[in-house]
């Protein structure tokens, strides 16, 4: 059963992660602070001593901050809000730490959870300053080297027919395997925005929203640039600093990490694999299973090529190189190199004085495999905090959930089992009791018959059992007909159930992962950001069902 929020805030319900469909045991255990999870992290966010140690380690590891120069140029080039530039100036102070989060550059800002991650980073940075007196800045890392373009090329909303609908960038086959940073939007950006406009309901916020999107994703802007501009328009005024990770000016400051990964070839994969085995032994799961002899690097030669060990040589894709040859290329062509999922967090934390990283449930799982990898590279592992997880619904859905004490697991099933049970619960007690009594009496009487006929002919006992089975099936059929009659009688309840299910799990998937943030900004405007950013009740250890 969900927990009610206080009366001081607008309608909201909170659910433990263990009750949320799709949340793995690792994330639920982390949110609950289960002791078994502690060995896989460098402290837990509920521990004051862990925060003090993380702040000290971040400051000590970053007396100088050369990434500030690259970021200053990025913000100036994108025309970032003054509040973002002021936050960056504060980050240059060696006493200031960073609360970092990040995501791929999803079209038009990506799914709702991207916005939730950025807002969580801002909330944590504010809390760090207010509660601990530690100057802190929120940084959003745009994973511009990501090559899974299918995952980021679409923007899904609820269309006029009430069903999920998407607008998507049409990419040529040659784009497969290329980094997101190489995708430039031509005139199709206006066409895509026209398509989005046709899908969105017209509200008081639509005109302004689309105008800002056209500015961010104008023709000639890259997909990554448009994403960064859009995020800055939304949250730069609140002090969010957005970083484009494909910037060559920043990569020069992590060349030594790439060099060490090449010279200690395969060791990162070994450490991560060992941690994955320990997670599984503890009853959790390994998010990443590195291929044997793989390096945590890729090289972009038109498309992204994995790097693997082959005896004393290395393979870049299918091309065999000596270690010395790959190091020589690193020295002359650094921009062609990039970290894979295992090394990316370390690159981030070499560049920034990261005291805490805001992670989604899947990220949390692979970060749990990196504690020894951080130690191997002599980089302090930051604390990890859950991002805010939320589903945005109308008041009627919250009332329905409260009235019927429905669980998310029940609504997450894409069948009518929960609806049937709900309708059954609405039947008059006399009907349900009578059917239950009939079933009990039927079995009792047929058991007596079975015993009696067996004294005449033992072979008739099986026939009596078959008769019981047929009669029980008929009784169940009658019960099903009663339920169907209840469905016809109570169409209102059916509509309420389906309304709740479609809002919580549009198209069968979790709302925050399915629908774009722009869909909700079009519905609620700045009130959405203000609520998510400023409501003190919205902790990150539970999943929230919220009305705006």
């Amino acid at each position: 059963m969900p927990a009610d929020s206080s009366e001081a805030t607008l309608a909201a319900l909170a659910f433990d992660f263990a009750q949320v469909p799709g949340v793995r045991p690792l994330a639920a255990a982390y949110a609950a602070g289960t002791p078994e999870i502690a060995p896989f992290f460098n402290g837990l966010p509920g521990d004051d001593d862990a925060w003090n140690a993380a702040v000290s380690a971040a400051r000590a590891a970053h007396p100088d901050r050369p990434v500030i120069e690259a970021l200053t140029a990025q913000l100036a080039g994108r025309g970032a809000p003054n509040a973002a530039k002021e936050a960056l100036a504060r980050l240059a102070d060696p006493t200031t730490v960073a609360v970092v989060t990040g995501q791929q550059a999803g079209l038009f800002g990506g799914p709702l959870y991207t916005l939730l991650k950025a807002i969580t980073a801002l909330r944590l940075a504010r809390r760090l300053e207010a509660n601990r007196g530690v100057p802190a800045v929120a940084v959003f890392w745009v994973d511009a080297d990501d090559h899974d373009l299918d995952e980021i090329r679409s923007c899904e909303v609820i269309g006029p027919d009430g069903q999920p609908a998407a607008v998507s960038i049409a990419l040529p086959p040659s784009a497969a395997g290329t980094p997101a940073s190489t995708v430039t939007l031509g005139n199709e950006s206006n066409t895509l925005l026209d398509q989005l406009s046709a899908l969105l309901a017209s509200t008081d916020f639509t005109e302004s929203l689309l105008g800002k999107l056209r500015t961010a994703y104008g023709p000639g802007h890259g997909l990554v640039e448009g994403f960064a501009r859009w995020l800055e328009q939304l949250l730069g005024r609140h002090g969010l600093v957005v970083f484009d990770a494909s910037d060559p000016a920043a990569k020069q400051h992590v060349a030594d990490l790439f060099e060490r990964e090449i010279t200690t070839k395969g060791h990162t994969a070994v450490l991560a694999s060992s941690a994955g085995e320990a997670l599984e032994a503890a009853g959790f799961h390994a998010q990443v299973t590195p291929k044997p002899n793989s390096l945590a690097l890729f090289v972009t030669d038109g498309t992204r090529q994995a790097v693997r060990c082959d005896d004393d040589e290395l393979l870049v894709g299918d091309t065999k190189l000596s270690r010395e040859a790959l190091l020589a290329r690193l020295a002359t062509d650094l921009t062609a190199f990039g970290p894979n999922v295992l090394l990316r967090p370390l690159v981030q934390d070499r560049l920034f004085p990261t005291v805490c990283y805001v992670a989604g449930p899947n990220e949390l799982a692979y970060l749990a495999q990196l504690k020894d990898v951080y130690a191997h590279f002599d980089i302090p592992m930051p604390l990890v905090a859950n991002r805010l997880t939320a589903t945005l619904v109308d008041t009627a859905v919250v009332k329905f959930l409260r009235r019927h004490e429905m669980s998310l697991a029940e609504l997450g099933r894409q069948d009518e089992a929960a609806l049937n049970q709900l309708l059954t619960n609405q039947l008059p007690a006399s009907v349900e009791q009578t059917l239950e009594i009939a079933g009990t009496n039927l079995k009792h009487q047929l058991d007596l018959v079975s015993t009696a006929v067996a004294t005449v002919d033992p072979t008739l006992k099986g026939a009596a059992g078959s008769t019981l089975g047929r009669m029980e099936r008929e009784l169940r059929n009658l019960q099903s007909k009663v339920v169907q009659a209840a469905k016809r009688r109570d169409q209102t309840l059916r509509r309420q159930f389906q309304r709740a299910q479609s809002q919580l799990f549009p198209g069968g998937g979790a709302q925050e992962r399915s629908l774009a943030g722009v869909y909700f900004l079009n519905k609620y405007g700045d009130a959405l950001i203000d609520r998510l950013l400023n409501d003190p009740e919205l902790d990150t250890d539970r999943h929230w069902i919220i009305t705006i």
Side-chain angles (χ1 to χ4, degrees):
M1 178 178 173
D4 283 342
S5 66
S6 70
E7 296 299 323
T9 61
L10 297 176
L13 295 173
F15 291 83
D16 290 340
F17 279 167
Q19 299 174 278
V20 181
V23 173
R24 304 287 290 271
L26 179 69
Y30 194 82
T34 303
E36 288 77 9
I37 209 70
F40 300 98
F41 296 92
N42 193 23
L44 298 178
D47 183 348
D48 285 344
D49 290 340
W51 277 102
N52 294 335
V55 169
S56 297
R59 285 172 170 169
H62 295 83
D64 301 314
R65 302 182 179 185
V67 73
I68 299 298
E69 183 178 353
L71 256 174
T72 300
Q74 284 190 27
L75 268 61
R78 295 193 298 258
N82 287 334
K85 295 177 180 177
E86 291 166 2
L88 179 60
R90 293 175 57 222
L91 190 59
D93 187 315
T95 65
T96 302
V97 296
V99 176
V100 182
T101 191
Q103 195 61 42
Q104 303 101 314
L107 180 63
F108 301 147
L112 174 62
Y113 70 76
T114 301
L115 183 61
L116 294 174
K117 291 179 82 171
I119 285 174
T120 306
L122 284 166
R123 288 172 63 104
L124 279 174
R126 288 181 177 182
R127 189 181 308 166
L128 194 56
E129 291 198 340
N131 296 349
R132 300 177 184 277
V134 176
V137 170
V139 175
F140 193 99
W141 176 288
V142 184
D143 190 1
D145 287 328
D146 183 78
H147 71 294
D148 190 354
L149 299 184
D150 279 338
E151 186 177 354
I152 63 175
R153 72 185 185 93
S154 298
C155 172
E156 187 169 294
V157 299
I158 299 297
D161 62 354
Q163 299 300 314
V167 297
S168 302
I169 302 172
L171 296 171
S174 60
T178 60
S181 59
T182 64
V183 178
T184 299
L185 299 173
N187 291 328
E188 75 267 26
S189 62
N190 287 325
T191 302
L192 290 168
L193 283 165
D194 289 342
Q195 293 172 358
L196 179 64
S197 176
L199 292 174
L200 293 173
S202 180
T203 70
D204 291 343
F205 315 112
T206 306
E207 184 177 354
S208 173
L209 176 80
L210 291 171
K212 291 176 181 177
L213 282 170
R214 291 186 191 279
T215 298
Y217 286 88
H221 288 175
L223 181 60
V224 169
E225 180 187 358
F227 177 92
R229 286 176 177 270
W230 172 243
L231 202 54
E232 280 175 340
Q233 287 188 59
L234 292 179
L235 297 174
R237 59 193 169 93
H238 296 288
L240 183 70
V241 175
V242 180
F243 174 68
D244 176 354
S246 65
D247 190 343
K251 281 193 174 182
Q252 62 179 307
H253 304 301
V254 295
D256 64 313
L257 296 186
F258 296 166
E259 181 178 346
R260 183 181 293 192
E261 180 63 15
I262 294 170
T263 56
T264 61
K265 50 187 182 180
H267 193 55
T268 295
V270 170
L271 293 172
S273 293
S274 178
E277 292 170 2
L279 280 166
E280 291 175 347
F284 303 112
H285 74 286
Q287 184 71 17
V288 183
T289 305
K291 292 182 179 179
N293 300 320
S294 63
L295 271 67
L297 288 175
F298 63 83
V299 177
T300 301
D301 286 318
T303 59
R304 176 164 142 162
Q305 305 290 324
V307 183
R308 307 184 307 280
C309 302
D310 182 25
D311 294 328
D312 292 332
E313 295 185 296
L314 296 170
L315 287 173
V316 177
D318 295 324
T319 303
K320 187 171 289 190
L321 293 172
S322 67
R323 183 177 64 180
E324 290 72 24
L326 192 60
L327 288 171
R329 181 171 181 185
L330 177 68
T332 58
D333 190 16
L334 176 60
T335 58
F337 289 76
N340 76 0
V341 68
L342 296 177
L343 197 58
R344 190 211 63 76
L346 284 80
V347 171
Q348 158 200 293
D349 300 329
R350 169 59 63 84
L351 291 174
F352 291 99
T354 311
V355 66
C356 182
Y357 181 80
V358 175
N362 291 335
E363 282 180 297
L364 182 74
Y366 79 73
L367 288 169
Q369 294 180 240
L370 297 185
K371 184 177 180 180
D372 289 341
V373 177
Y374 272 93
H376 168 59
F377 283 93
D378 301 315
I379 296 174
M381 184 179 186
L383 296 179
V384 181
N386 286 317
R387 68 166 169 85
L388 177 64
T389 70
T391 303
L392 308 177
V393 300
D394 57 35
T395 305
V397 171
V398 171
K399 290 180 178 178
F400 173 81
L401 293 173
R402 281 193 174 124
R403 183 183 308 120
H404 299 288
E405 298 185 354
M406 295 292 293
S407 72
L408 291 180
E410 290 171 318
L411 285 159
R413 293 179 57 182
Q414 295 305 299
D415 56 33
E416 292 197 338
L419 175 59
N420 289 338
Q421 184 59 52
L422 183 61
L423 290 167
T424 298
N425 293 342
Q426 306 308 305
L427 291 174
S430 59
V431 174
E432 189 172 356
Q433 289 170 2
T434 300
L435 288 169
E436 184 176 346
I437 291 170
T440 302
N441 288 341
L442 177 64
K443 187 176 187 310
H444 176 69
Q445 294 300 323
L446 262 293
D447 283 345
L448 294 177
V449 170
S450 177
T451 301
V453 298
T455 63
V456 177
D457 183 349
T459 63
L460 292 176
K461 188 171 184 178
S466 299
T467 301
L468 173 62
R470 287 195 299 272
M471 295 179 74
E472 286 179 331
R473 284 195 296 273
E474 289 299 323
L475 191 60
R476 287 195 298 270
N477 289 338
L478 176 59
Q479 188 173 15
S480 178
K481 289 178 180 179
V482 172
V483 171
Q484 294 301 318
K487 287 184 180 181
R488 292 191 296 272
R489 186 195 65 181
D490 203 342
Q491 289 299 318
T492 298
L493 187 58
R494 171 182 282 270
R495 286 194 298 271
Q496 290 173 343
F497 178 90
Q498 292 173 340
R499 180 182 180 85
Q501 192 174 57
S502 66
Q503 289 192 32
L504 292 163
F505 300 97
Q511 184 200 83
E512 62 181 10
R513 303 192 68 83
S514 302
L515 299 184
V518 293
Y519 171 73
F520 299 99
L521 290 165
N522 182 63
K523 288 184 69 173
Y524 305 117
D526 286 343
L528 171 63
I529 292 175
D530 291 342
R531 173 76 187 285
L532 296 174
L533 189 58
N534 298 314
D535 187 341
E537 187 177 24
L538 300 180
D539 61 63
T540 59
D541 293 332
R542 295 175 291 175
H543 180 85
W544 289 89
I545 309 295
I546 304 172
T547 65
I548 304 299

